[in-house]
């Protein structure tokens, strides 16, 4: 085979692998992300390299109230943009969960209009969903459109307290 065919085969294989990875990771809640601007702290009670929810930068209730009413038990904070098709599906799923689970609300933030907040919390794509506890601390996040079951599983840590 010629060199051009090998380059094509490698490019197709790499693109397929990346697509499979994105399909696997999309919409799954997996930990949190501490933005680069936040000071890295290592609590004495947590294992080395691990942080607890009390050490993560959070949102004040007044800050969340700018976008909508924060929940008594948890807030589903969605970062979306105007022309994002998965954002509409995410909005429906999160509104359904918020309507089903007592004390949980859904708050949506337009990422394009609030770039300072997007940078501060480390959002790199839309939709991104953050699950915040009653104190506004981030418990987990998902990039991409999560399923209803994934949201309920992510909320289980807050609801079972």
């Amino acid at each position: 085979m010629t060199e051009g065919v090998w380059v094509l085969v490698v490019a197709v294989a790499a693109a397929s692998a990346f697509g499979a990875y994105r399909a696997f990771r999309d919409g799954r809640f997996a930990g949190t992300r501490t933005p680069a601007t936040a000071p890295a702290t290592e609590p004495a009670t947590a294992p080395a390299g691990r942080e607890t929810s009390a050490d993560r930068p959070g949102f004040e209730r007044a800050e969340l109230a700018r976008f909508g009413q924060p929940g008594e038990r948890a807030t589903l904070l969605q970062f979306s943009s105007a022309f994002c098709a998965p954002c509409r599906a995410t909005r429906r799923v999160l509104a359904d969960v918020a309507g089903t689970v007592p004390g949980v609300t859904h708050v949506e933030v337009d990422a394009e209009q609030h770039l300072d907040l997007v940078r501060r919390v480390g959002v790199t794509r839309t939709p991104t969903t953050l699950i915040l506890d009653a104190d506004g601390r981030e418990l987990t996040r998902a990039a991409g459109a999560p399923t209803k079951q994934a949201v309920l599983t992510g909320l289980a840590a807050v609801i079972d307290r």
Side-chain angles (χ1 to χ4, degrees):
M1 291 206 290
T2 66
E3 184 178 320
V5 173
W6 280 112
V7 169
L8 178 63
V9 168
V10 169
V12 168
S16 297
F18 180 71
Y21 169 76
R22 282 292 293 264
F24 176 73
R25 294 288 303 155
D26 216 31
R28 294 181 188 263
F29 286 94
T32 62
R33 178 178 174 180
T34 303
T37 57
T41 59
E42 189 171 312
T45 58
R50 309 277 289 194
E51 63 180 272
T52 64
S53 63
D55 300 310
R56 287 186 212 114
F59 294 87
E60 296 293 325
R61 289 188 74 79
E63 182 180 22
L64 284 175
R66 288 181 13 202
F67 307 109
Q69 182 64 36
E72 296 172 11
R73 296 170 75 187
T75 303
L76 303 172
L77 181 61
Q78 175 188 353
F79 289 89
S80 58
S81 54
F83 299 104
C84 169
C87 294
R88 291 188 288 276
T90 300
R91 182 181 308 119
R92 286 190 298 271
V93 167
L94 297 180
D96 184 34
V97 170
T100 305
V101 181
V104 175
T105 60
H106 170 229
V107 175
E108 188 171 359
V109 175
D110 184 350
E112 296 170 288
Q113 299 297 319
H114 302 282
L115 290 175
D116 56 330
L117 180 61
V118 166
R119 288 183 189 109
R120 188 180 64 149
V121 298
V123 172
T124 57
R125 62 183 275 220
T126 58
T128 294
T129 303
L130 278 60
I131 296 181
L132 308 176
D133 66 8
D135 296 325
R137 287 187 301 266
E138 179 182 334
L139 299 176
T140 188
R141 71 171 53 201
T147 63
K148 183 176 180 179
Q149 186 58 45
V151 176
L152 291 171
T153 301
L155 276 172
V158 177
I159 296 170
D160 293 338
R161 284 184 180 181

